[in-house]
Amino acid sequence: MAKRKSDKAEYGSGSIYPTKSGSFIVQVRPRKGAKPLRRTAPNREAAEALRAELVRQRDEGVDIEKGSQLFDDFANYWYQEVYLQRGRSERQDKHTADMLELHILPTLSKRILMSIDHAECQQLINDLRRRPKPKRPLAPQTIHHVYSVMKQIFGKAATMGYIRRDPTIGLELPEIDRAQKPPLALVTVQRLLEIIEGTRTAINFHLMATLGLRIGETLAIRRIDFNDDFTELWIRRALNYHTAKAGDPKRKSVRLLAVPPHLAELCRSQWASVLRQQEDSSADFKNHGMFCPSEVGTPIQPRNFERVWSGQTKKGRFYPGIKQKAGFPDDAVLHDLRAFTATMLVDVDAQPVVIGHLLGHGAKNVTEKYMRRHLPTMRRALERFENVLWGGVDDQAETGT
């Protein structure tokens, strides 16, 4: 039998070879004298289109050899050798890794880097908006985070010459609803603080409502983060919501806070309660230094704390949480307590720079050397705020609040 000849074009234009299985091998040299790049196509028409595309991209300056790697491989390179070298916080690193592993790689991991086009990226974004049950559609804010990671990866690939054009340019994204909700009413928060009295998580809600702490920040507090008499508190750790592991807080959120008198007294009582648990030989409790520990002394899981707030369903029956018992609006979330704190501090004439530092915002680059200087100002503002929070109805009428 005569040997079948392969279809060869002129030098530099690539070659197409049939295989015994019926598919076709496409060969194109990335550059003169280099080893040919081999790709497989299911039929002759697809092979011709692939060869023409590889030659075109090569002639436009694309490194088709590097561009032919799997997206998974390049994404791993980008995360390890590009993103992690920026020196971001552990929390930010974990968030970016989650966006990549949970929402991008399941779709693109086995795709060839330079073959991913704009339509494919748009489809990925659209699918995140309408995920079928049991999954839930991603919130617009989360989709923007996914897009940010995709844009950084493909932008780097384009800069390095591995792809001709960034396929994320011009993607249509869902709009983020930035309509501000009205601040929580003072009487509603006061009712919350009454309802939680005597519960294990009471001190957490007091810290969040008075100091405006984030969920992860309040759950990660240790005894060593306070001074001796609980009048000062360092915020330098935060619990990750998904892993429940302690790490760095959000960037520029490490801060020293003044603790006003009533809250300081509650903190002293809280620690005394922890020590009593430690001394109780009948309890399966070990003191790990946590200021707001679980029943066994470990940090309270963020998800469990969320259930205390929003309630939970067991065996088809819904058990209301603090939110329902205190009469909070249906759309209220725990993070609204931060907005409440900021609003009330404005009402007692606290300076914006003081409020920004209390909430751990990075605006105006509040640095470590100014923290001590602001302690007296913070203390006066918090004491005025605490008087309003714990004042009677008559006192509020007199002050006009």
Side-chain angles (χ1 to χ4, degrees):
M1 180 182 291
K3 188 176 181 180
R4 187 172 183 178
K5 294 184 179 180
S6 60
D7 299 325
K8 292 186 177 181
E10 62 183 49
Y11 184 84
S13 297
S15 304
I16 298 176
Y17 296 88
T19 66
K20 293 181 179 180
S21 63
S23 61
F24 288 80
I25 299 295
V26 178
Q27 288 192 164
V28 176
R29 295 183 184 274
R31 54 195 171 276
K32 188 174 181 179
K35 184 178 179 180
L37 171 69
R38 294 168 60 90
R39 295 272 295 276
T40 303
N43 52 56
R44 180 173 291 278
E45 291 74 16
E48 290 287 0
L50 176 59
R51 180 178 64 84
E53 177 64 17
L54 288 174
V55 170
R56 182 178 65 82
Q57 294 209 35
R58 181 200 62 190
D59 293 346
E60 291 178 353
V62 175
D63 186 339
I64 59 174
E65 183 177 17
K66 296 291 187 180
S68 294
Q69 64 182 298
L70 296 179
F71 178 84
D72 191 12
D73 294 333
F74 183 77
N76 181 66
Y77 161 80
W78 171 83
Y79 183 74
Q80 298 293 335
E81 301 300 329
V82 179
Y83 181 81
L84 291 183
Q85 306 311 312
R86 297 171 183 171
R88 302 287 176 83
S89 68
E90 180 182 345
R91 179 191 180 98
Q92 289 174 301
D93 294 344
K94 179 64 169 59
H95 177 73
T96 299
D98 287 343
M99 295 298 102
L100 188 58
E101 295 173 6
L102 298 177
H103 307 306
I104 302 175
L105 289 182
T107 301
L108 301 180
S109 63
K110 301 308 177 184
R111 297 283 289 114
I112 292 175
L113 180 63
M114 63 188 232
S115 67
I116 301 173
D117 59 18
H118 179 85
E120 195 167 357
C121 293
Q122 184 67 66
Q123 189 64 50
L124 186 154
I125 294 294
N126 294 344
D127 289 344
L128 294 178
R129 300 179 62 183
R130 53 191 181 213
R131 298 194 303 178
K133 293 181 178 180
K135 295 181 178 180
R136 293 184 299 174
L138 291 188
Q141 183 71 55
T142 306
I143 292 178
H144 278 253
H145 292 165
V146 173
Y147 164 73
S148 175
V149 175
M150 290 174 60
K151 186 170 183 61
Q152 292 179 64
I153 294 174
F154 285 111
K156 190 63 177 179
T159 301
M160 298 176 75
Y162 295 176
I163 59 178
R164 183 172 59 88
R165 184 176 182 270
D166 178 358
T168 65
I169 294 176
L171 288 180
E172 299 293 334
L173 303 176
E175 291 188 6
I176 300 174
D177 184 9
R178 300 189 181 277
Q180 292 189 352
K181 295 186 292 186
L184 298 174
L186 176 60
V187 293
T188 306
V189 178
Q190 288 175 327
R191 193 181 305 122
L192 163 71
L193 299 181
E194 292 174 1
I195 290 174
I196 62 171
E197 197 63 37
T199 64
R200 177 175 294 278
T201 56
I203 192 63
N204 299 98
F205 286 102
H206 281 290
L207 288 165
M208 294 176 68
T210 305
L211 300 180
L213 301 186
R214 301 176 177 92
I215 300 174
E217 292 173 344
T218 186
L219 296 179
I221 295 174
R222 302 160 296 180
R223 172 61 184 91
I224 60 174
D225 295 324
F226 288 95
N227 64 348
D228 292 340
D229 60 355
F230 293 89
T231 58
E232 295 178 8
L233 169 63
W234 272 104
I235 301 300
R236 44 194 164 197
R237 301 198 318 162
L239 243 60
N240 182 284
Y241 187 87
H242 299 287
T243 65
K245 294 181 179 179
D248 297 332
K250 294 186 72 172
R251 194 177 185 185
K252 298 184 180 179
S253 288
V254 175
R255 58 201 187 276
L256 175 63
L257 303 178
V259 181
H262 186 81
L263 181 59
E265 181 59 35
L266 291 175
C267 289
R268 287 189 284 268
S269 298
Q270 165 67 15
W271 186 244
S273 175
V274 173
L275 294 179
R276 285 195 298 271
Q277 283 184 282
Q278 180 182 355
E279 295 169 359
D280 185 0
S281 59
S282 63
D284 187 17
F285 181 88
K286 292 184 179 180
N287 190 347
H288 296 280
M290 299 303 302
F291 179 68
C292 313
S294 66
E295 294 180 354
V296 294
T298 56
I300 296 175
Q301 300 287 309
R303 291 182 183 274
N304 292 339
F305 185 71
E306 187 81 38
R307 293 187 185 105
V308 172
W309 158 259
S310 60
Q312 59 181 317
T313 300
K314 287 185 178 180
K315 298 181 179 180
R317 179 182 174 185
F318 178 73
Y319 294 85
I322 302 298
K323 171 182 172 179
Q324 291 81 19
K325 295 177 181 178
F328 278 73
D330 292 339
D331 62 347
V333 295
L334 271 172
H335 206 69
D336 290 340
L337 288 174
R338 279 171 61 79
F340 166 77
T341 303
T343 302
M344 294 302 299
L345 287 171
V346 170
D347 289 345
V348 296
D349 299 324
Q351 295 297 316
V353 66
V354 177
I355 298 174
H357 178 64
L358 279 167
L359 299 183
H361 293 158
K364 297 190 181 298
N365 298 320
V366 181
T367 57
E368 174 69 19
K369 64 181 180 180
Y370 293 110
M371 291 180 181
R372 287 283 178 181
R373 186 181 301 178
H374 286 312
L375 274 176
T377 308
M378 283 194 292
R379 192 176 303 283
R380 287 192 297 271
L382 285 168
E383 288 177 2
R384 291 196 300 270
F385 166 43
E386 195 174 59
N387 288 337
V388 174
L389 183 62
W390 289 96
V393 176
D394 295 338
D395 294 338
Q396 296 170 29
E398 292 176 4
T399 59
T401 57

